[in-house]
Structure formats: C-alpha cells, structure tokens
Amino acid sequence: MRYFYLLLTVLLFACDPQWRNDSRFMAYAPIYVSKEEANQIGAEAAKPTVLPGKIYAYGNYLFQVEQNHGIHIIDNSNPQQAHKISFLNVPAASELAVKSGFLYTNNLDDLVVFDISDINSPRLVNRVENAFPQISQEYPPLNGAYFECVDPSKGVVVGWEEKLIENPKCRR
Amino acid sequence: MKILNAEDKPTIMRKLLPIIAIFFLFGCDKSSSSDSSAYATGGGKGGSLARFTVVGDYLYTVDKQTLKVFDIADPSKPSLKRSVDAGFEIETIFPFKDKLFLGSTSVVYIFSIDDPSNPQKLSEAISPTVMRRCDPVVAKDNVAYSTLRTNGPCGGTTSVLAVYDITDIKNPVQKNAMPVGEPYGLGYSDTTLYVCDRRYGISVYNISKPYSPVFIKGVTTSSFPNFIDVIAYNTILICWTSTGIILYDISVPQNPTLIKQIS
C-alpha cells in the first residue's frame, strides 16, 4: 500500500497542468494600440521607465525608448547628475535616430520627425505615413508558441506579452 | 504544459528575440573611439540592436524584408528615395565604412552605399555557418568580435565570444572562441571590449592583442539587472538594462565605474 501511495504521488506530480481543471498556461497575448490612442503624441512630464527599449546618444542628451509608448529624454550634460527632462509620448514607438536637431521615430507604422532643437519643447514637424507597414506584428516572436488570437477591432498589434492565458486558441 | 520558462524570458527580451546585431566599430586610434565618419554629420550614436541608422544625408531603416532610404538633406523633411527588397526577417542595421550590414534571423546581408541613395546588395557574405544568426558583431580594423548565444530560437550548443579575421569581409575566418554566459549587445572603446552578458552584467575584455581577448572582470550593480546593449560614448558607457539606463565612467576603459542609474 505504501508503494501505491508513492506511485500515486509520483503520478500526480507527473500530471500536465492541462489534465487538471486549470486550463490556463503561459502563452502570448497581443499588445494593442488603437487608432485613437495612436494619435496622442507629444511631450509630457518625465515618468518612470517601465519597459526599457533602445538607447541613443546625441550631444549632451540620451534617449531611451519606452517600448510601445514613447521616448524618455535625458539630460546627460553632467553624467553625475543625468536626469530625465521629459517623456515624448509616441504610441507604438520602438526605434529612434537623431540628426542635426531632428529626432526620427516610428508612431505605429508612420515615420515621424520631431524638432528637438529646443529640447524642452519638442515639436512634431513631419510625418511620413505608412513608412513601416511591417512593424506591426501578426505573430508572437517564437515559432510553435500558443497565443491569444488577434482581434483587429482592438487596434494594431505592436508587441506580445507572455502571461497565463485561458485556453489560447491560436498557435503558430 | 508550460510553453516557456517565464523566469528565463523577462518581458523586455521577448521582442528582441531573435536578434542579430551587427555592430561594427571604427578605427583603432583613441580619438575615434567614440565617433566615426558615419556620425560626423550631425548624427548621434545608436546601439548594436538598431533598425534606424543615419549616414551622412540619409536615414536608412529596416523592417523585416525592406531596406528604406530616406533623404534627410533637409532633416525636417525626410523623403523616401527607395525601398529595396533586402531579404527576410531583418532585425538590425549597422553602417561600417561604405557598407551597410543588415542582420536577419538567418544571415547577414551586405550592401554597398558607394551611392548612398541607391544601396546595392553585395552579398550574403557572412553565412550562418560562419557567423550564425543571433550573433552581435563588433569589428575593429580587420577583427570582428561576435557573441554566439544559444538560448531562444538562435540554436547552437555553447555561448561563446568568437574572434574573426575579416581582412576579406566576404570570407571571415574564426581565430578564437571563449565561453561566456548569455551575451547580447556589445561595444568597444580603445582596446577594451564590453559584452552585455545579461544577468551576469558587463564582461570587460582587454583587446590589446585583438585576436586574443583577455577577460578582465565582470561589472554589475547590486540590483543585478539584465544588461542588453551598450554604447561607448566618449568617456561614458551607456548601458540599456532591464531597469532603464545605467551610466559608467570609462575614462579608464578597463575599469568601468558606476556613475548613475536612470529608471
């Protein structure tokens, strides 16, 4: 009998979670940006970094993408006291580069240009629509992964997060 | 069934996989260690994982299959000059001298920008069998350093820092390989190489003898963030970490000292 319990214990631990009542498991969920959100663009007060993205150095300034949300602008003229000046809200931003006082980034699939010659008041000066249609992401980053199916009515998928999902239906 | 080990894949990394970063560094002399001709025309400096790069009067961008050329002679008015079918699953772009290196999930594409408005594909010279996918690379004169990472979708069996002779850029020859933890972006200042080794911090190497890097030490902070990419910028090392940005003083390149964390 003792061996039976032992065997039972082993069998219980061997169970795949899907065999139990809990049908949730780690899978990918799409991160959406709606078209309405996508248009809210411009400088805001500095705020904490949540999901740090790409970095860029230009003169006395540093820039760091807040993944899918915008760009932190940092004064680095004295590195000992480097500090955030502001946050440039650019929904779905993931990239940036700077030349001669102009900052290039992506707002969803558009290329947008900010005049940052006055770093305290960046101004949106230009937009090239649909420059990067492929930045939208139809699939999670890994092949073979389960994911929550995309609902286009919620907006454009700008990224994927991994979390516990109830019975994800899609798989790539 | 657990699809992925969540602890091993912090959110920040998910979008980055798979990564190929081509990070070519320029020149050997001290004065050029932070900037190169590519940046000498009003541009800044990006990391080794960028999809945008500025060379002269042009902004080059990559998105999966396409290399785009924007004329930014008037920097406020980018105008799309050309869209070039570049390859598949392009992840990164990096300029090296008169070439653009496009990293994809399977191969490195090399474009000539002799005519900057009209990039010409030269080759898929660095093949996956020599420098495999997901391999960030830095080059210094005739030497390239590449970190080969094995986790995620990149394959391979051991993570190493590899050293290549790139005298013939179309035919890199491996000269050396040393084990590392879990490497991502990398950068260099003078004769010091910085390799982001994710949760282990930055690995600092002496590359005075370019084909034989010597590990000096690992650098991290008490909170042990993940280190993802670096920019060596004058006497400052700018690190992209899972907590934001961490700045190190590299006045003495082989001895980075913590200046500031920005999160």
Side-chain angles (χ1 to χ4, degrees), chain A residues 34-70:
Chain A
S34 70
K35 282 287 175 193
E36 301 81 68
E37 275 178 88
N39 292 329
Q40 289 159 13
I41 195 166
E44 298 176 351
K47 59 183 186 184
T49 307
V50 180
L51 207 56
K54 293 182 184 183
I55 51 177
Y56 199 85
Y58 174 73
N60 286 331
Y61 301 103
L62 305 178
F63 302 89
Q64 182 164 39
V65 170
E66 177 72 40
Q67 289 183 37
N68 301 323
H69 290 101

Side-chain angles (χ1 to χ4, degrees), chain A residues 16-18 25-28 47-64 67-68 74 76 79-84 93-102 104-106 111 113 125-126 128 130-138 141-142 144-146 158-163 172, chain B residues 1-6 9 11-18 39 41-47 49-54 56-59 61-66 68 70 72-80 89 91 152-153 228-231 233 236 238-245 247 249 259-260 262-263:
Chain A
D16 193 291
Q18 286 171 89
F25 55 98
M26 292 307 282
Y28 286 95
K47 59 183 186 184
T49 307
V50 180
L51 207 56
K54 293 182 184 183
I55 51 177
Y56 199 85
Y58 174 73
N60 286 331
Y61 301 103
L62 305 178
F63 302 89
Q64 182 164 39
Q67 289 183 37
N68 301 323
I74 296 155
N76 189 40
Q80 312 284 343
Q81 272 143 38
H83 62 278
K84 287 177 177 170
S94 56
E95 311 294 326
L96 85 149
V98 181
K99 177 188 158 77
S100 305
F102 291 89
Y104 308 93
T105 183
N106 65 298
L111 172 66
V113 187
V125 292
N126 214 326
V128 180
N130 210 28
F132 311 112
Q134 310 258 354
I135 283 180
S136 327
Q137 301 173 39
E138 321 93 290
L142 287 181
Y146 284 95
V158 294
W160 294 84
E161 60 181 336
E162 202 189 5
K163 61 183 189 185
R172 186 195 178 195
Chain B
M1 178 187 168
K2 214 173 176 185
I3 304 293
L4 286 167
N5 184 340
K9 303 223 175 291
T11 312
I12 187 164
M13 292 316 307
R14 268 171 228 139
K15 283 197 63 188
L16 289 174
L17 292 172
Y39 307 111
T41 49
K45 189 170 183 182
L49 307 175
R51 279 179 183 270
F52 283 15
T53 193
V54 171
D57 283 340
Y58 293 89
L59 169 69
T61 69
V62 289
D63 57 85
K64 289 194 180 163
Q65 282 122 42
T66 314
K68 288 191 170 152
F70 295 90
I72 50 170
D74 176 349
S76 70
K77 295 192 179 70
S79 77
L80 180 63
E89 297 295 326
E91 296 280 337
I228 297 148
D229 202 3
V230 287
I231 302 174
Y233 193 66
I236 304 289
I238 304 158
C239 305
W240 163 12
T241 74
S242 52
T243 55
I245 287 178
L247 302 178
D249 184 328
I259 302 177
K260 184 88 182 172
I262 305 154
S263 54

Side-chain angles (χ1 to χ4, degrees), chain B residues 25-203:
Chain B
L25 293 158
F26 297 74
C28 210
D29 57 313
K30 275 187 171 173
S31 61
S32 73
S33 62
S34 64
D35 280 281
S36 75
S37 56
Y39 307 111
T41 49
K45 189 170 183 182
S48 60
L49 307 175
R51 279 179 183 270
F52 283 15
T53 193
V54 171
V55 182
D57 283 340
Y58 293 89
L59 169 69
Y60 300 94
T61 69
V62 289
D63 57 85
K64 289 194 180 163
Q65 282 122 42
T66 314
L67 166 64
K68 288 191 170 152
V69 185
F70 295 90
D71 183 335
I72 50 170
D74 176 349
S76 70
K77 295 192 179 70
S79 77
L80 180 63
K81 281 290 162 205
R82 210 173 292 272
S83 288
V84 184
D85 240 3
F88 296 100
E89 297 295 326
I90 312 276
E91 296 280 337
T92 62
I93 182 168
F94 207 87
F96 178 55
K97 296 180 179 169
D98 58 348
K99 309 279 191 297
L100 294 176
F101 290 77
L102 275 55
S104 80
T105 51
S106 59
V107 74
V108 175
Y109 302 97
I110 301 177
F111 284 78
S112 163
I113 45 171
D114 280 343
D115 175 357
S117 70
N118 189 15
Q120 296 291 321
K121 191 191 263 187
L122 291 179
S123 63
E124 299 168 13
I126 304 177
S127 78
T129 54
V130 180
M131 290 184 187
R132 303 168 311 168
R133 55 193 181 158
C134 305
D135 303 345
V137 178
V138 302
K140 179 186 173 191
D141 296 340
N142 298 326
V143 193
Y145 302 95
S146 168
T147 54
L148 318 183
R149 193 174 72 252
T150 57
N151 73 336
C154 311
T157 51
T158 48
S159 288
V160 295
L161 170 63
V163 185
Y164 301 90
D165 182 343
I166 53 159
T167 308
D168 176 2
I169 189 72
K170 295 181 179 178
N171 186 24
V173 180
Q174 187 173 323
K175 297 291 237 186
N176 205 339
M178 41 220 305
V180 282
E182 203 178 332
Y184 282 85
L186 65 171
Y188 120 130
S189 172
D190 195 23
T191 55
T192 305
L193 180 70
Y194 308 98
V195 178
C196 289
D197 205 352
R198 219 180 125 193
R199 75 189 94 166
Y200 306 104
I202 300 163
S203 295

